[in-house]
Every structure is written in structure tokens, then in C-alpha cells.
Amino acid sequence: MIRRLFHAVLVAVFVAAISFLSACEASEQASAEEVVTDVEWFRDAKFGMFIHWGMSSQLGGIWDGKRYYGITEWLMRRAKIPSAEYKAKSVEFNPVEYDAAEWVAVAKAAGVRYIVITAKHHDGFAMFDSAVSDFDIVDATPYGEDPLKALTEEARKAGIRIGFYYSQYQDWTEKDAAGNEWEFDPDDRNFDRYLAEKAMPQLEELLTNYGPIDIIWFDTPGDLSKENAEQLRAWVKELQPNCLVSDRIGHDLGDYKGYNDGEIPAVAEGERPWEAIFTHNDSWGFSYFDYNFKSTSEVLELLISTVSKGGNLMLNIGPDGLGRIPAPSAATFRSVGEWLKVNGEAVYGTSASPLGKVPWGGITARPGKLYLHVLHPPADGMLILPGLATKPDAARVLATGEKLKVRRDGGDIFVELPASEGSSVPVVAVDLAADTAIEVDDATAVSARYDGARLQFEDLDGGDAELAKYRTMHYFGDWKHYHTVGGLTSPANSATWNLRVLEPGTYKIVLNYSASKEQAGQEGVLTIAGRDFYFKVLETGELSEGEAFSPRKPLMFLDHPVAVVHFDQAGDYELTVRPEVANTSLAKLLFVDIRLHD
Ligand code: JFZ
């Protein structure tokens, strides 16, 4: 939908407009607040490493012989551990294997441009030498050293920016901070005292004793007041004007936009730089029970879908209590880095794709150039560039320099990637002619060479469907996000996609959705090429709405085939889904697949 805003825009103009808009935004922010923080390094960085590490890493999800599944840095709260008992456990935290140089070597090999590490998480334990509290790694553990000192030094040597995560609102060992209701009465809370006597002084330590710090990554603002958030922001800027502040300071006071844990936006909002955060497995802190590590290609898929929408990916690791990065994380970060070593030009400093969605991967851009990230190479190698009206001057494989053929077929421009191209996720650099016009193509290409097409919310071309976002966790805190097509509450509502079928063929059409008891049983109709295909929504399970942190069921999505259609000629088609009868939204429709049916 947003694509319609970009009709017939010259690439050069497009890029210029983007930088103009961001310049306006930057100066607007500056005049409102005096302090000008340089966010351009952040906009260009694209890949960061998040590190969750603390005394909870030593526990790894086990308390009193009991196993807690889900995110382990929440163990104290989940097991309702009294502060005194929890604090006493710090004597067992002795990360003798910690080697800052080795961690930074992994980060460097991975090609990250910044690292953010937990300086203090919700459990209140400071991973640095703090004079403000004795509950810190130097005073309260046999280890007795400050790991952040070495890390900041090593990172700086390696040319990697460094940020500190600081839990400003929750501190479970403090009666005046938020989060520990099993010991402290929130009515007795004097939050201003905690801010003045712990949070602000610790931030001062972090922003005074470690040289230039690039980000203070605040989190879980809860009902932190606007005054308090402004106070925190002003304090950071007073101590280090160039230090960025994360979005989770609250009240829209961050220097860049952030999304929820594990969420890539369907469509990025506005022109501000933004960051998606994911963890490599499901927990943020080290867990003995979490082996759901993403593979290299899954991480590349995340990275490419983030950068092709213009954002940064910060991917988390959870070193263990001895200070070791889990082997699967070190290995995957290193192999992502191998790919970036060859293809970094297509990532760092690039901007979002100016074209429509492509069925074979993602696109990034810089003035006069497009980069085609081929996640799913078609058998015949033909990469469609929907919306490009002028034939590019040249195309070459970034890794090898091999020149590729560019051809026009009907109204479309294709780059031909040889089948022999062996590397996983090859990238093609395309040089655009100076007068290249991009007429952004609303329609989704359907072709046998891409095994069909997938239609999602962000590809909608008409109707009045609404974005319906859902998030669930399986264990605890391991959020999964779904951006679904919602708002289909009556026969007058519809979701409409324009298709451009490239050649004749037969396809099965599959709806992928989740439906509660309430939604189940409603009738819907999918219309394609003038034919109506009726279906009844099947129940897949309930989602308990409500509190953010409650154990929930996984949201199950069902593949429901509703049609087989034969397109006997290439051309434009419209696909519509609407309720025939509905009282509540038809279903949580994640996507419509048009799958080649042989
Ligand atoms: C927060 C932390 O609580 C968590 O431990 C971890 O540090 C993660 C990166 O950030 O998790 C959140 C924060 C906000 C929401 C959910 C989890 N939220 O808004 O629902």
C-alpha cells in the first residue's frame, strides 16, 4: 500500500528525497532539544550484536533444582526469589573463562558495527564496578573484575561502537524501583529516590568511566512518567551529547525507532533510523534448555528482510556463567560475517528497496545502484525487477565480479543469474542508468519460476483490511510476532491483491491463518479470475489476550487450500478475500499462497 506513494520516481530523486527528509527530521529534533546527536552512523551500521550477560547467566534458568523454561534473565522474578537470597547467589558467579578480546574477535569476524551489552538488567546486578551499589560484579563475586572495561577497550580497538543496556525502571533488588511486588509494596515506592540515588549515579559511572559510549539502551519503560524519561534523556545527553538513547526510554524520546522483541515491521514507519532486535535462540540470557538457535541462512534472511526495509538488525547472544559464548552462536555469527565480508557493500550504508516485493529475496539500494540479495534463487536464474522501467547499465555478481545478462521480457526487466552460481545467498550489484525510472509496481508477480507467490498484508493493493498484529510466547518471554490481514468483519470488507501472472499455469491457492473458536465456522469467499471459491474457517486455537507477560499457548497457523486455478494466459488478475458471513474478523490471515500445482 505504501508503495503507491512512490509512483514514477527517479532513483536519484528518491534517494535525494530520503536524505532530505532525514535532514529535515534531524534539524527539527535539534531545534526542539538543542542537543544534536549524530544518528547517521547508526542508520548506516545495519548489523549489531546484543549481549545479555549477568549473574543470571550462571543460573541459566535453574533455581532451587527447579527448571524454568523461557527467558532466563527473568528467573528472579519468575521464581519470586527474595532479594537477599538472590544477592547471596552472586558468590557463585565467577566467569573465569571470559575473554573480552575473544568476544570482540567474534563480533569483528561477524561484521557487526556495534555491540550493546547489559550493564544492569532487571535483577539490579551491575556488570561493572559501581560505587553506588555493592551488588556488582567487582564487589559481590569472587571474579572481582570489571568486564565492561575490557570489552569497551577491545571494541574500540576493533572500531566497533559500544552501547550499554541499562534497566532504568525495573530493578528487582530495589524497593523504590519497579518489578518486585513479591517483596515490596508498589504503594510505598519512591521512584524518584531510586532514580536520584541509583539509576542516575550508575548512568554517570557508565558515561564517565568507559570513554565515549555510543548508545544507552533503556528497556521496559512501564509507566515511567514523561518527566522521568526526559530527565534520564537529558542526563545522558549532558554526560555524553553524542550518546544515542534507545526507543524504550518511552514517550517517544529515543533517538531512533525500535520495535518489539523479535519483530520486523510489516512496513517501517517514517524515515527515522530503526532497529529490529532478535535473539539467536529464544532466550536473551544463557539458558540450559534453549537450543533453538537460528541457522546462518535464517539469520541472513532476518538481516536481509530488515535492511531491505531500511533498518538495522541487532542480534543477541547469551554467554554462559563462565563467560563463554555458546558454540552455535559463535559459529553462526562467524559465518554471517563470511557472507558480509564478500557482500558488505550491499548492506552497510544502504537504504531500503525502492522496488516492490520480490519473490526471490530482498533488495537494498544506494544512489545509482541496487543490490539483489538472492535468498531463493529460481531454477532458471531469472530475477524479476518489478517496477524498473529502464534497463540497467550493468549487473554483476558481487562476490566474483562476473557480468550478468540483463533482459527485457514483455514489460519486465530480469537479471539472469547463472545456475552455476554456487555461493549461498549470492548478491548481484546492478548499476542503474542516470535516468532510470522506477514505476513502483503494485502487482505481485506470479510465475512458475518462483513456485508461485506469497501475498501478505504489506502487499495489499485494495479493499479495507487492517493490519492485525499478534504476539505470543511459547514458554515465557520468547515472543513471536505475526502481522496478519484483519478487519474483515462483514461481507462489505475485502482484502484485494493485484497479480501479474507472467505465464500460463495451474496453481493451488492456500490460505494460511489462525482462528479462535469465535472466528471458526464463519464463511468466506476467495475470488480470482471471476470465479468464487467458498470456504469455512477452521478452528486452530484460542489466544488469551491481555497481560503482556503470561504463559500463552503458541498460536497455530493452518494451511487451508481453497482453490485450484488455471491461468490460461499471462496478464493482470485480481485476488480478493472477503467474508460471506462474519460477525468478528474472518480469521488471523497470515498469508495467501499461490502455489504451483503440477
Ligand atoms: C525486554 C526484557 O524484559 C528482556 O529481558 C530482554 O532484555 C528484552 C531485550 O527486552 O523484554 C521485553 C520488553 C518489552 C516487551 C516484551 C519483552 N513488550 O513490550 O512486550
Side-chain angles (χ1 to χ4, degrees):
M1 307 222 294
I2 195 133
R3 291 195 230 145
R4 291 158 177 230
L5 302 172
F6 296 130
H7 276 288
V9 191
L10 295 181
V11 177
V13 176
F14 176 84
V15 174
I18 294 276
S19 32
F20 175 71
L21 281 170
S22 49
C24 287
E25 189 183 77
S27 63
E28 228 173 71
Q29 282 183 357
S31 60
E33 300 166 24
E34 296 139 46
V35 182
V36 192
T37 308
D38 173 22
V39 292
E40 291 316 305
W41 75 263
F42 183 81
R43 188 191 294 279
D44 290 345
K46 299 299 167 197
F47 190 31
M49 177 188 271
F50 210 176
I51 304 176
H52 273 66
W53 195 42
M55 67 162 273
S56 63
S57 311
Q58 169 64 29
L59 305 169
I62 302 177
W63 185 259
D64 235 355
K66 191 169 171 239
R67 290 176 290 278
Y68 290 79
Y69 298 89
I71 60 176
T72 61
E73 71 281 6
W74 276 68
L75 183 65
M76 179 182 174
R77 188 183 152 105
R78 296 189 61 208
K80 300 201 176 3
I81 303 168
S83 310
E85 256 178 68
Y86 188 80
K87 283 181 166 178
K89 213 50 175 176
S90 66
V91 298
E92 288 173 24
F93 182 41
N94 192 13
V96 290
E97 304 281 326
Y98 171 66
D99 179 349
E102 198 185 307
W103 285 19
V104 170
V106 173
K108 188 76 186 168
V112 300
R113 292 286 164 92
Y114 62 106
I115 295 173
V116 175
I117 185 167
T118 47
K120 188 199 81 172
H121 206 270
H122 308 330
D123 67 0
F125 182 73
M127 288 294 284
F128 58 99
D129 190 9
S130 177
V132 177
S133 156
D134 282 343
F135 190 42
D136 73 73
I137 189 164
V138 176
D139 297 317
T141 75
Y143 185 64
E145 279 176 59
D146 179 340
L148 301 194
K149 262 261 144 55
L151 192 72
T152 45
E153 277 160 21
E154 291 295 334
R156 221 165 275 132
K157 259 196 266 168
I160 297 175
R161 304 247 184 182
I162 188 94
F164 293 144
Y165 173 111
Y166 191 86
S167 178
Q168 78 278 28
Y169 178 67
Q170 300 197 64
D171 190 320
W172 302 329
T173 52
E174 294 288 333
K175 82 163 200 32
D176 289 323
N180 179 344
E181 297 96 32
W182 63 96
E183 280 183 283
F184 311 124
D185 183 351
D187 292 338
D188 296 341
R189 187 186 298 160
N190 180 352
F191 190 74
D192 285 332
R193 190 211 61 85
Y194 156 77
L195 262 198
E197 292 176 20
K198 185 166 183 185
M200 308 266 276
Q202 284 199 328
L203 284 166
E204 183 173 3
E205 293 178 324
L206 289 169
L207 291 166
T208 307
N209 300 338
Y210 300 86
I213 296 305
D214 298 292
I215 304 174
I216 292 291
W217 216 94
F218 289 118
D219 198 6
T220 64
D223 57 11
L224 191 77
S225 71
K226 182 149 190 227
E227 290 65 40
N228 286 157
E230 279 167 347
Q231 199 183 343
L232 281 165
R233 182 186 159 91
W235 187 228
V236 171
K237 300 292 174 175
E238 188 184 323
L239 293 161
Q240 292 206 21
N242 279 323
C243 181
L244 302 182
V245 165
S246 72
D247 196 46
R248 292 186 186 177
I249 190 172
H251 301 283
D252 216 8
L253 289 170
D255 287 306
Y256 57 87
K257 171 84 187 133
Y259 292 90
N260 279 326
D261 303 3
E263 179 182 29
I264 296 175
V267 178
E269 298 156 31
E271 303 303 336
R272 291 169 73 194
W274 58 270
E275 175 179 73
I277 57 164
F278 279 78
T279 184
H280 188 212
N281 46 354
D282 286 326
S283 178
W284 298 88
F286 173 77
S287 166
Y288 286 111
F289 319 115
D290 181 358
Y291 290 89
N292 191 17
F293 292 102
K294 293 162 189 69
S295 68
T296 302
S297 43
E298 285 168 329
V299 172
L300 287 179
E301 186 130 16
L302 279 182
L303 180 64
I304 292 163
S305 50
T306 304
V307 297
S308 67
K309 290 179 174 182
N312 291 355
L313 174 70
M314 178 158 73
L315 186 66
N316 178 74
I317 56 170
D320 70 9
L322 286 176
R324 298 172 302 192
I325 296 175
S329 292
T332 300
F333 271 78
R334 282 182 187 278
S335 51
V336 169
E338 290 298 315
W339 181 86
L340 276 166
K341 221 169 273 162
V342 176
N343 298 301
E345 181 192 325
V347 174
Y348 306 117
T350 61
S351 50
S353 170
L355 303 192
K357 185 162 98 168
V358 287
W360 42 260
I363 298 179
T364 50
R366 62 173 85 242
K369 269 198 183 354
L370 294 179
Y371 299 99
L372 321 182
H373 303 246
V374 191
L375 287 160
H376 314 287
D380 68 357
M382 295 276 276
L383 307 176
I384 192 168
L385 297 179
L388 211 58
T390 316
K391 214 165 134 176
D393 285 345
R396 67 191 157 84
V397 177
L398 207 50
T400 59
E402 185 188 353
K403 281 214 161 83
L404 302 184
K405 277 194 203 122
V406 180
R407 51 160 127 155
R408 187 187 290 278
D409 189 359
D412 286 306
I413 291 182
F414 291 86
V415 169
E416 218 177 314
L417 185 72
S420 62
E421 182 50 57
S423 94
S424 72
V425 195
V427 176
V428 176
V430 175
D431 297 323
L432 299 174
D435 59 347
T436 296
I438 295 179
E439 180 129 13
V440 171
D441 191 352
D442 278 344
T444 300
V446 178
S447 168
R449 65 165 67 86
Y450 311 123
D451 298 320
R454 174 161 296 184
L455 310 171
Q456 290 167 283
F457 176 82
E458 59 259 45
D459 312 313
L460 279 167
D461 299 300
D464 39 19
E466 287 161 11
L467 178 61
K469 300 205 256 179
Y470 296 91
R471 46 180 207 162
T472 65
M473 51 166 117
H474 294 182
Y475 283 136
F476 178 88
D478 50 331
W479 292 106
K480 305 283 178 283
H481 291 264
Y482 304 96
H483 292 161
T484 71
V485 178
L488 302 179
T489 52
S490 92
N493 300 130
S494 71
T496 302
W497 288 273
N498 296 336
L499 311 180
R500 206 149 43 74
V501 175
L502 301 188
E503 72 286 322
T506 305
Y507 293 88
K508 177 178 270 181
I509 302 185
V510 176
L511 304 180
N512 185 273
Y513 62 79
S514 181
S516 64
K517 209 170 265 155
E518 258 198 305
Q519 293 173 311
Q522 304 185 105
E523 260 192 305
V525 54
L526 180 144
T527 307
I528 176 92
R531 284 181 64 190
D532 290 336
F533 297 90
Y534 286 86
F535 60 91
K536 195 161 159 174
V537 173
L538 304 170
E539 187 186 336
T540 63
E542 298 292 327
L543 165 69
S544 45
E545 303 280 346
E547 318 147 70
F549 289 98
S550 59
R552 295 176 176 192
K553 289 186 229 171
L555 200 54
M556 301 307 288
F557 285 85
L558 171 82
D559 254 3
H560 184 160
V562 296
V564 171
V565 288
H566 179 74
F567 299 109
D568 41 35
Q569 51 190 357
D572 295 329
Y573 293 83
E574 194 183 80
L575 185 152
T576 299
V577 176
R578 63 172 175 81
E580 175 66 10
V581 177
N583 305 312
T584 183
S585 190
L586 190 61
K588 299 170 188 72
L589 182 62
L590 192 58
F591 57 78
V592 179
D593 258 4
I594 303 173
R595 295 185 190 158
L596 189 65
H597 189 67
D598 55 14

